[in-house]
């Protein structure tokens, strides 16, 4: 039987919305993931990660909104399908993928200062 394992992360970053939004495609390329849907007007993107040994790919729903001129709020929802067998080997892979995205985004925004 398969089901979805979900994780959610909300954070604020000290960069303008435009800078974060421009860095997201670069981050996806670096991680070798794939953008499935992107809405520039509402600043939402749907991303598919690579699968792994005994693991399905995850889907990340990323939404960014401006708090003020120099602060951006980011919401990341991730879902990974698991089965009874793959859930044993999952070990927080969904949470790790969110972490990979955030870490790579931080590095990219620092480079482009």
């Amino acid at each position: 039987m398969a089901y979805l394992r979900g994780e959610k992360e909300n954070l604020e970053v000290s960069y303008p919305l435009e800078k974060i939004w421009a860095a997201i495609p670069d981050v996806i390329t670096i991680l070798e993931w794939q953008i499935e849907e992107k809405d520039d007007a509402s600043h939402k993107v749907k991303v598919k990660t690579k699968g792994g040994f005994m693991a399905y790919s995850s889907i990340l729903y990323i939404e960014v909104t401006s708090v003020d001129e120099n602060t951006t709020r980011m919401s990341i929802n991730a879902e990974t399908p698991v089965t009874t067998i793959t859930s044993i080997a999952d070990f927080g892979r969904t949470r790790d993928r969110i972490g990979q995205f955030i870490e790579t985004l931080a590095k990219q925004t620092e480079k482009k200062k």
Side-chain angles (χ1 to χ4, degrees):
M1 177 186 303
Y3 61 95
L4 290 175
R5 182 169 286 166
E7 293 284 343
K8 185 173 186 173
E9 184 74 35
N10 293 306
L11 60 142
E12 287 187 4
V13 292
S14 298
Y15 288 100
L17 172 74
E18 295 78 23
K19 185 168 187 161
I20 297 296
W21 187 246
I24 289 175
D26 296 337
V27 170
I28 302 308
T29 301
I30 290 166
L31 294 171
E32 298 178 353
W33 295 351
Q34 179 181 351
I35 294 176
E36 293 202 329
E37 296 174 18
K38 183 178 177 193
D39 185 350
D40 290 318
S42 63
H43 299 104
K44 295 180 182 179
V45 65
K46 178 181 175 183
V47 177
K48 184 175 182 178
T49 68
K50 292 190 327 184
F53 177 71
M54 293 280 297
Y56 294 104
S57 58
S58 297
I59 299 292
L60 276 68
Y61 300 93
I62 303 162
E63 180 177 1
V64 292
T65 55
S66 181
V67 174
D68 59 37
E69 190 175 298
N70 293 312
T71 307
T72 302
R73 181 172 295 125
M74 188 166 27
S75 174
I76 305 168
N77 292 306
E79 298 175 337
T80 305
V82 292
T83 64
T84 306
I85 295 170
T86 61
S87 68
I88 296 168
D90 185 70
F91 300 120
R93 198 165 303 210
T94 307
R95 171 68 49 198
D96 289 343
R97 288 172 175 160
I98 291 174
Q100 286 176 342
F101 174 79
I102 294 169
E103 183 178 324
T104 308
L105 181 63
K107 289 176 184 175
Q108 280 300 107
T109 52
E110 282 296 314
K111 281 183 182 178
K112 295 183 178 186
K113 268 191 168 180

